[in-house]
Amino acid sequence: MSVLDLFAEFATDTTAEKDGVWVDYGENKFLIAMSGNRKYRERFIKLYKPHERLFKTNTEAAETKSNELLADVMAHTILLDWTGEMVVEKGGAPVKYSVENAKKALLLPRFRELIQGYSEDFSLFKAVKDEEEEKN
């Protein structure tokens, strides 16, 4: 019978969870914190409560507000920085990272999904890196 090292398999680096890890995207990089971190939960609850009744409706206004809320929460707690400049609005000029620019970028649903995916990628935040990852 083999021994399963649960620490090596499932422990996360708590500093990386909140301070983020750099993720390559082409020639650019994003600094991503782990989804569901403490700051994320606190900000989500704070922003959700005033709009709770609206979110229970099945309206376009609820969907719009939901997207705005997610973009805000993620800009403050998950997408912490990026390298270079990004165009975040149709016809806009390239901009450097700021929370406001991150919020605008995160209003793009597919971009938000990309960043969310990184933030949920457990392997990025593991306390014990796999041997192959350590070689790279």
Side-chain angles (χ1 to χ4, degrees):
M1 182 176 269
S2 66
V3 174
L4 175 60
D5 184 342
L6 293 176
F7 182 85
E9 285 292 316
F10 298 106
T12 56
D13 178 337
T14 55
T15 301
E17 282 184 20
K18 66 179 175 64
D19 294 343
V21 295
W22 285 101
V23 177
D24 294 330
Y25 188 82
E27 294 183 12
N28 297 83
K29 292 183 180 191
F30 298 112
L31 183 61
I32 309 291
M34 191 171 199
S35 180
N37 65 54
R38 182 177 172 184
K39 288 181 182 180
Y40 180 95
R41 291 188 311 268
E42 289 171 354
R43 187 162 189 87
F44 182 86
I45 290 167
K46 176 184 173 186
L47 297 179
Y48 177 85
K49 286 193 182 258
H51 306 287
E52 191 169 2
R53 290 183 73 204
L54 174 63
F55 292 139
K56 290 181 180 178
T57 67
N58 189 18
T59 63
E60 190 172 318
E63 184 174 345
T64 299
K65 182 53 80 176
S66 175
N67 289 334
E68 290 171 0
L69 182 143
L70 286 173
D72 181 282
V73 171
M74 290 177 69
H76 281 90
T77 65
I78 291 179
L79 179 56
L80 306 178
D81 200 354
W82 64 53
T83 61
E85 295 182 337
M86 312 275 172
V87 176
V88 298
E89 297 177 294
K90 185 175 182 177
V95 295
K96 293 190 179 293
Y97 175 85
S98 71
V99 170
E100 283 305 310
N101 288 334
K103 282 170 50 173
K104 290 175 187 175
L106 289 161
L107 285 172
L108 297 166
R110 302 293 88 64
F111 179 69
R112 188 171 58 244
E113 288 173 8
L114 173 77
I115 298 304
Q116 185 70 37
Y118 287 137
S119 74
E120 293 173 350
D121 183 349
F122 175 73
S123 67
L124 295 174
F125 303 97
K126 284 180 74 172
V128 178
K129 299 291 184 189
D130 295 330
E131 288 179 30
E132 278 187 36
E133 291 175 30
E134 287 180 3
K135 291 177 186 175
N136 294 332

